[in-house]
Amino acid sequence: TQPTSLTVDMSADATERKGTPTIFKTDMTEVEMEKYATSIASMRKRNIVKESEYKMSLALQGIYIKDNIMFYRVRIGNQSNINYSIDFLKFYIRDKVRIKRTASQELAIKPLYIYGNNEEVNGKSHTDLVYVLPKFTIPESKYLNIELFEANGGRHFSLPIKNKDIVNARLLK
């Protein structure tokens, strides 16, 4: 196959017209992210934080780091007979203490890559997901919150993650 163009216009006004940046946000490629995520998904599990309710469970089973990229291994277990359709799983940085009549700030962290089936967990089964996020730490007055919502349902989960768990991330080689 032949490329559509042999030249790329890198001038400032050309990149603004197209609306997409030409520089990657990370040094790690998607193929490398998938390679690390695959190896993380097969590692021995160790629960950092777990929440169970409605015959469902959400567990953070590991935090790993490679260069400036962090990998969060999450397991969603379904012990019920009803399939769990995942609406979304999001990462937020939130204030620990919320004083009445004050605005609380929430910062959403968008994954760079998601490894695994993040659409549905069949009944009597589980799924392991690896979320690839940019490197970050949080102050002691805040915490990382992982939220899982069911599509067209009421089984919702929230996992609070402390900064000490983040800074204890395992180094990937």
Side-chain angles (χ1 to χ4, degrees), residues 24-37 40 64-71 112-113 132-133 172-173:
F24 293 110
K25 291 186 178 185
T26 66
D27 293 333
M28 193 178 293
T29 65
E30 193 171 309
V31 172
E32 290 173 314
M33 288 182 204
E34 182 176 9
K35 181 183 87 165
Y36 286 115
I40 289 168
Y64 305 88
I65 187 162
K66 175 71 176 169
D67 300 328
N68 288 325
I69 306 293
M70 298 185 86
F71 298 82
L112 303 169
Y113 180 78
V132 181
L133 304 174
L172 293 174
K173 295 179 184 187

Side-chain angles (χ1 to χ4, degrees), residues 1-166:
T1 62
Q2 295 293 322
T4 57
S5 174
L6 296 176
T7 59
V8 177
D9 187 358
M10 297 295 287
S11 63
D13 58 327
T15 55
E16 287 174 17
R17 275 195 312 265
K18 293 178 184 170
T20 55
T22 55
I23 306 297
F24 293 110
K25 291 186 178 185
T26 66
D27 293 333
M28 193 178 293
T29 65
E30 193 171 309
V31 172
E32 290 173 314
M33 288 182 204
E34 182 176 9
K35 181 183 87 165
Y36 286 115
T38 304
S39 69
I40 289 168
S42 64
M43 288 181 179
R44 189 176 64 82
K45 68 175 187 165
R46 62 177 185 93
N47 288 343
I48 295 173
V49 180
K50 182 177 181 178
E51 183 183 336
S52 298
E53 201 172 6
Y54 317 113
K55 290 194 166 189
M56 293 286 304
S57 63
L58 173 64
L60 177 63
Q61 294 191 321
I63 302 173
Y64 305 88
I65 187 162
K66 175 71 176 169
D67 300 328
N68 288 325
I69 306 293
M70 298 185 86
F71 298 82
Y72 288 76
R73 180 180 174 185
V74 176
R75 173 171 277 191
I76 305 168
N78 184 357
Q79 292 81 33
S80 74
N81 294 319
I82 302 168
N83 293 350
Y84 186 90
S85 297
I86 299 171
D87 188 14
F88 63 84
L89 191 144
K90 288 190 178 180
F91 293 81
Y92 295 99
I93 295 177
R94 292 195 168 141
D95 294 330
K96 277 186 183 176
V97 179
R98 185 170 174 220
I99 303 169
K100 290 182 181 180
R101 292 189 219 123
T102 60
S104 66
Q105 290 189 339
E106 230 176 51
L107 176 65
I109 301 172
K110 189 172 184 205
L112 303 169
Y113 180 78
I114 301 169
Y115 174 80
N117 176 12
N118 65 336
E119 293 178 9
E120 187 168 73
V121 182
N122 294 329
K124 303 289 185 190
S125 71
H126 67 271
T127 187
D128 289 323
L129 302 168
V130 178
Y131 285 80
V132 181
L133 304 174
K135 175 196 72 154
F136 66 90
T137 58
I138 49 179
E140 289 301 318
S141 62
K142 297 182 183 280
Y143 67 98
L144 175 67
N145 196 50
I146 301 174
E147 287 188 342
L148 174 67
F149 275 73
E150 182 180 25
N152 303 317
R155 298 180 286 183
H156 308 309
F157 296 92
S158 179
L159 281 182
I161 313 298
K162 297 175 184 168
N163 188 50
K164 71 174 184 141
D165 295 321
I166 296 170

